[in-house]
Amino acid sequence: MTAYDKNNIFAKILRGEIPCKKVHEDEYVLAFNDINPQAPVHILVIPKGAYVSIDDFGANASESEIAGFYRAVAKIAQENNLAAGGFRTIANTGLNGGQEVPHFHVHLLGGRSLGPMLAKAA
Ligand code: AMP
């Protein structure tokens, strides 16, 4: 696992150096609209702690950070009317996962039927 880069774009958003369209904030998370939405609702949920990826977060975050993060994901889904109709969460991880920003984040996507999970494998 690569070391955390404190100059990644989500770290800058957390420090308030770059603006975001905030939808939720609490002690553990910041959630904001994705700048390039792939669905009518496309929210990114990021922990406030410095974790590169979901495996870093799962291995190294405290119990309260992990609980706080996933409780916030559930709350944000409810608050944005995603829960009743269903939605998708994605955590792209590393090179094969196509992760672009090396600060752990969950994509919350919904607002329409999202189709198959992945394009057919080549
Ligand atoms: P990933 O490929 O999982 O690392 O996804 C990174 C996501 O961050 C992409 O969906 C981008 O559109 C999104 N993104 C990049 N920069 C920003 C930004 N400044 N504000 C909001 N979303 C961003």
Side-chain angles (χ1 to χ4, degrees), residues 9-10 13 18-20 32-36 42 44 92 98-101 105 107:
I9 198 150
F10 292 172
I13 287 174
I18 290 178
C20 71
F32 51 90
N33 288 324
D34 195 292
I35 205 167
N36 182 22
H42 187 168
L44 299 170
N92 294 320
Q99 183 178 3
E100 291 169 10
V101 180
H105 52 281
H107 297 253

mmCIF file of all heavy atoms in Angstrom, residues 9-10 13 18-20 32-36 42 44 92 98-101 105 107, ligand 1:
data_model
loop_
_atom_site.group_PDB
_atom_site.id
_atom_site.type_symbol
_atom_site.label_atom_id
_atom_site.label_comp_id
_atom_site.label_asym_id
_atom_site.label_seq_id
_atom_site.Cartn_x
_atom_site.Cartn_y
_atom_site.Cartn_z
ATOM 1 N N ILE A 9 -6.356 15.596 -3.657
ATOM 2 C CA ILE A 9 -7.422 16.606 -3.793
ATOM 3 C C ILE A 9 -8.459 16.533 -2.669
ATOM 4 O O ILE A 9 -8.974 17.564 -2.225
ATOM 5 C CB ILE A 9 -8.067 16.527 -5.198
ATOM 6 C CG1 ILE A 9 -8.831 17.787 -5.518
ATOM 7 C CG2 ILE A 9 -8.911 15.315 -5.369
ATOM 8 C CD1 ILE A 9 -8.883 18.137 -6.970
ATOM 9 N N PHE A 10 -8.727 15.322 -2.158
ATOM 10 C CA PHE A 10 -9.730 15.237 -1.083
ATOM 11 C C PHE A 10 -9.155 15.745 0.244
ATOM 12 O O PHE A 10 -9.877 16.312 1.069
ATOM 13 C CB PHE A 10 -10.270 13.816 -0.946
ATOM 14 C CG PHE A 10 -11.109 13.363 -2.132
ATOM 15 C CD1 PHE A 10 -11.528 12.045 -2.234
ATOM 16 C CD2 PHE A 10 -11.483 14.254 -3.132
ATOM 17 C CE1 PHE A 10 -12.301 11.631 -3.311
ATOM 18 C CE2 PHE A 10 -12.256 13.850 -4.228
ATOM 19 C CZ PHE A 10 -12.658 12.520 -4.317
ATOM 20 N N ILE A 13 -9.708 19.354 0.008
ATOM 21 C CA ILE A 13 -11.116 19.677 0.286
ATOM 22 C C ILE A 13 -11.365 19.628 1.796
ATOM 23 O O ILE A 13 -12.006 20.527 2.359
ATOM 24 C CB ILE A 13 -12.052 18.721 -0.501
ATOM 25 C CG1 ILE A 13 -12.032 19.084 -1.992
ATOM 26 C CG2 ILE A 13 -13.478 18.765 0.054
ATOM 27 C CD1 ILE A 13 -12.800 18.139 -2.901
ATOM 28 N N ILE A 18 -9.855 23.736 -1.207
ATOM 29 C CA ILE A 18 -10.598 23.614 -2.473
ATOM 30 C C ILE A 18 -12.074 23.501 -2.084
ATOM 31 O O ILE A 18 -12.399 22.776 -1.135
ATOM 32 C CB ILE A 18 -10.127 22.352 -3.247
ATOM 33 C CG1 ILE A 18 -8.721 22.568 -3.775
ATOM 34 C CG2 ILE A 18 -11.083 21.991 -4.366
ATOM 35 C CD1 ILE A 18 -8.166 21.362 -4.500
ATOM 36 N N PRO A 19 -12.970 24.188 -2.799
ATOM 37 C CA PRO A 19 -14.386 24.124 -2.420
ATOM 38 C C PRO A 19 -15.035 22.796 -2.826
ATOM 39 O O PRO A 19 -14.507 22.079 -3.684
ATOM 40 C CB PRO A 19 -15.011 25.277 -3.217
ATOM 41 C CG PRO A 19 -14.092 25.475 -4.378
ATOM 42 C CD PRO A 19 -12.718 25.085 -3.939
ATOM 43 N N CYS A 20 -16.157 22.506 -2.202
ATOM 44 C CA CYS A 20 -16.946 21.342 -2.606
ATOM 45 C C CYS A 20 -18.413 21.661 -2.364
ATOM 46 O O CYS A 20 -18.725 22.597 -1.628
ATOM 47 C CB CYS A 20 -16.533 20.093 -1.824
ATOM 48 S SG CYS A 20 -17.039 20.134 -0.087
ATOM 49 N N PHE A 32 -19.865 15.063 -0.234
ATOM 50 C CA PHE A 32 -20.080 16.156 -1.200
ATOM 51 C C PHE A 32 -20.404 15.555 -2.558
ATOM 52 O O PHE A 32 -20.145 14.375 -2.826
ATOM 53 C CB PHE A 32 -18.841 17.059 -1.260
ATOM 54 C CG PHE A 32 -17.534 16.346 -1.461
ATOM 55 C CD1 PHE A 32 -17.020 16.089 -2.711
ATOM 56 C CD2 PHE A 32 -16.805 15.899 -0.343
ATOM 57 C CE1 PHE A 32 -15.811 15.428 -2.880
ATOM 58 C CE2 PHE A 32 -15.583 15.230 -0.497
ATOM 59 C CZ PHE A 32 -15.095 15.002 -1.770
ATOM 60 N N ASN A 33 -20.994 16.401 -3.419
ATOM 61 C CA ASN A 33 -21.362 15.933 -4.754
ATOM 62 C C ASN A 33 -20.126 15.707 -5.605
ATOM 63 O O ASN A 33 -19.194 16.534 -5.596
ATOM 64 C CB ASN A 33 -22.274 16.952 -5.438
ATOM 65 C CG ASN A 33 -23.663 16.961 -4.834
ATOM 66 O OD1 ASN A 33 -24.181 15.921 -4.446
ATOM 67 N ND2 ASN A 33 -24.259 18.124 -4.746
ATOM 68 N N ASP A 34 -20.141 14.600 -6.365
ATOM 69 C CA ASP A 34 -19.052 14.338 -7.309
ATOM 70 C C ASP A 34 -19.074 15.408 -8.402
ATOM 71 O O ASP A 34 -20.129 15.799 -8.900
ATOM 72 C CB ASP A 34 -19.211 12.934 -7.920
ATOM 73 C CG ASP A 34 -17.944 12.471 -8.605
ATOM 74 O OD1 ASP A 34 -17.566 13.052 -9.645
ATOM 75 O OD2 ASP A 34 -17.314 11.511 -8.104
ATOM 76 N N ILE A 35 -17.908 15.868 -8.787
ATOM 77 C CA ILE A 35 -17.786 16.944 -9.776
ATOM 78 C C ILE A 35 -18.179 16.458 -11.171
ATOM 79 O O ILE A 35 -18.514 17.267 -12.036
ATOM 80 C CB ILE A 35 -16.327 17.488 -9.752
ATOM 81 C CG1 ILE A 35 -16.255 18.903 -10.250
ATOM 82 C CG2 ILE A 35 -15.369 16.588 -10.507
ATOM 83 C CD1 ILE A 35 -14.930 19.589 -9.963
ATOM 84 N N ASN A 36 -18.173 15.154 -11.372
ATOM 85 C CA ASN A 36 -18.485 14.565 -12.693
ATOM 86 C C ASN A 36 -19.518 13.448 -12.496
ATOM 87 O O ASN A 36 -19.197 12.264 -12.595
ATOM 88 C CB ASN A 36 -17.180 14.032 -13.313
ATOM 89 C CG ASN A 36 -17.394 13.451 -14.682
ATOM 90 O OD1 ASN A 36 -18.365 13.772 -15.372
ATOM 91 N ND2 ASN A 36 -16.500 12.559 -15.091
ATOM 92 N N HIS A 42 -25.011 11.512 -7.114
ATOM 93 C CA HIS A 42 -23.650 10.933 -7.054
ATOM 94 C C HIS A 42 -22.881 11.694 -5.977
ATOM 95 O O HIS A 42 -22.387 12.798 -6.203
ATOM 96 C CB HIS A 42 -22.956 11.047 -8.408
ATOM 97 C CG HIS A 42 -21.631 10.325 -8.458
ATOM 98 N ND1 HIS A 42 -20.952 10.101 -9.639
ATOM 99 C CD2 HIS A 42 -20.862 9.769 -7.483
ATOM 100 C CE1 HIS A 42 -19.819 9.466 -9.380
ATOM 101 N NE2 HIS A 42 -19.728 9.264 -8.069
ATOM 102 N N LEU A 44 -19.937 11.607 -2.885
ATOM 103 C CA LEU A 44 -18.720 10.968 -2.362
ATOM 104 C C LEU A 44 -18.700 11.140 -0.855
ATOM 105 O O LEU A 44 -18.929 12.245 -0.352
ATOM 106 C CB LEU A 44 -17.482 11.629 -2.966
ATOM 107 C CG LEU A 44 -17.361 11.543 -4.486
ATOM 108 C CD1 LEU A 44 -16.228 12.440 -4.978
ATOM 109 C CD2 LEU A 44 -17.139 10.110 -4.931
ATOM 110 N N ASN A 92 -13.698 2.222 -5.298
ATOM 111 C CA ASN A 92 -12.608 1.849 -6.195
ATOM 112 C C ASN A 92 -11.311 1.811 -5.394
ATOM 113 O O ASN A 92 -11.056 2.704 -4.579
ATOM 114 C CB ASN A 92 -12.488 2.866 -7.335
ATOM 115 C CG ASN A 92 -13.707 2.853 -8.241
ATOM 116 O OD1 ASN A 92 -14.251 1.798 -8.547
ATOM 117 N ND2 ASN A 92 -14.147 4.027 -8.659
ATOM 118 N N GLY A 98 -9.157 1.116 -10.436
ATOM 119 C CA GLY A 98 -9.359 2.405 -11.100
ATOM 120 C C GLY A 98 -9.485 3.575 -10.139
ATOM 121 O O GLY A 98 -10.097 4.592 -10.470
ATOM 122 N N GLN A 99 -8.870 3.453 -8.965
ATOM 123 C CA GLN A 99 -8.945 4.552 -7.987
ATOM 124 C C GLN A 99 -8.092 5.729 -8.459
ATOM 125 O O GLN A 99 -6.897 5.569 -8.709
ATOM 126 C CB GLN A 99 -8.455 4.068 -6.617
ATOM 127 C CG GLN A 99 -8.560 5.137 -5.528
ATOM 128 C CD GLN A 99 -8.113 4.623 -4.158
ATOM 129 O OE1 GLN A 99 -7.663 3.475 -4.023
ATOM 130 N NE2 GLN A 99 -8.237 5.463 -3.152
ATOM 131 N N GLU A 100 -8.723 6.904 -8.568
ATOM 132 C CA GLU A 100 -8.002 8.090 -9.033
ATOM 133 C C GLU A 100 -7.510 8.950 -7.877
ATOM 134 O O GLU A 100 -6.457 9.578 -7.978
ATOM 135 C CB GLU A 100 -8.917 8.948 -9.919
ATOM 136 C CG GLU A 100 -9.236 8.302 -11.255
ATOM 137 C CD GLU A 100 -10.343 9.034 -11.996
ATOM 138 O OE1 GLU A 100 -10.723 10.141 -11.566
ATOM 139 O OE2 GLU A 100 -10.835 8.472 -12.980
ATOM 140 N N VAL A 101 -8.299 9.020 -6.833
ATOM 141 C CA VAL A 101 -7.941 9.894 -5.708
ATOM 142 C C VAL A 101 -7.547 9.015 -4.517
ATOM 143 O O VAL A 101 -8.358 8.221 -4.023
ATOM 144 C CB VAL A 101 -9.113 10.826 -5.328
ATOM 145 C CG1 VAL A 101 -8.715 11.720 -4.158
ATOM 146 C CG2 VAL A 101 -9.547 11.662 -6.521
ATOM 147 N N HIS A 105 -12.695 6.721 -0.268
ATOM 148 C CA HIS A 105 -14.022 7.318 -0.476
ATOM 149 C C HIS A 105 -14.986 6.266 -0.977
ATOM 150 O O HIS A 105 -14.596 5.320 -1.659
ATOM 151 C CB HIS A 105 -13.961 8.495 -1.462
ATOM 152 C CG HIS A 105 -13.282 8.176 -2.759
ATOM 153 N ND1 HIS A 105 -11.912 8.126 -2.877
ATOM 154 C CD2 HIS A 105 -13.775 7.892 -3.988
ATOM 155 C CE1 HIS A 105 -11.592 7.828 -4.129
ATOM 156 N NE2 HIS A 105 -12.706 7.659 -4.822
ATOM 157 N N HIS A 107 -18.415 5.999 -3.265
ATOM 158 C CA HIS A 107 -19.369 6.646 -4.162
ATOM 159 C C HIS A 107 -20.763 6.148 -3.799
ATOM 160 O O HIS A 107 -20.976 4.937 -3.667
ATOM 161 C CB HIS A 107 -19.109 6.239 -5.620
ATOM 162 C CG HIS A 107 -17.792 6.639 -6.173
ATOM 163 N ND1 HIS A 107 -17.640 7.653 -7.091
ATOM 164 C CD2 HIS A 107 -16.537 6.144 -5.961
ATOM 165 C CE1 HIS A 107 -16.363 7.766 -7.431
ATOM 166 N NE2 HIS A 107 -15.666 6.853 -6.758
HETATM 167 P P1 AMP B 1 -12.146 7.286 -7.903
HETATM 168 O O1 AMP B 1 -11.863 6.893 -9.321
HETATM 169 O O2 AMP B 1 -12.980 6.253 -7.198
HETATM 170 O O3 AMP B 1 -10.880 7.650 -7.157
HETATM 171 O O4 AMP B 1 -13.085 8.538 -7.982
HETATM 172 C C1 AMP B 1 -12.673 9.853 -7.786
HETATM 173 C C2 AMP B 1 -13.875 10.713 -8.015
HETATM 174 O O5 AMP B 1 -13.600 12.005 -7.527
HETATM 175 C C3 AMP B 1 -14.303 10.867 -9.477
HETATM 176 O O6 AMP B 1 -15.637 10.405 -9.633
HETATM 177 C C4 AMP B 1 -14.175 12.368 -9.734
HETATM 178 O O7 AMP B 1 -15.186 12.876 -10.570
HETATM 179 C C5 AMP B 1 -14.268 12.931 -8.338
HETATM 180 N N1 AMP B 1 -13.623 14.213 -8.121
HETATM 181 C C6 AMP B 1 -12.369 14.584 -8.465
HETATM 182 N N2 AMP B 1 -12.105 15.838 -8.069
HETATM 183 C C7 AMP B 1 -13.232 16.277 -7.447
HETATM 184 C C8 AMP B 1 -13.591 17.509 -6.820
HETATM 185 N N3 AMP B 1 -12.739 18.545 -6.747
HETATM 186 N N4 AMP B 1 -14.832 17.617 -6.294
HETATM 187 C C9 AMP B 1 -15.691 16.590 -6.366
HETATM 188 N N5 AMP B 1 -15.410 15.399 -6.945
HETATM 189 C C10 AMP B 1 -14.192 15.245 -7.478
#
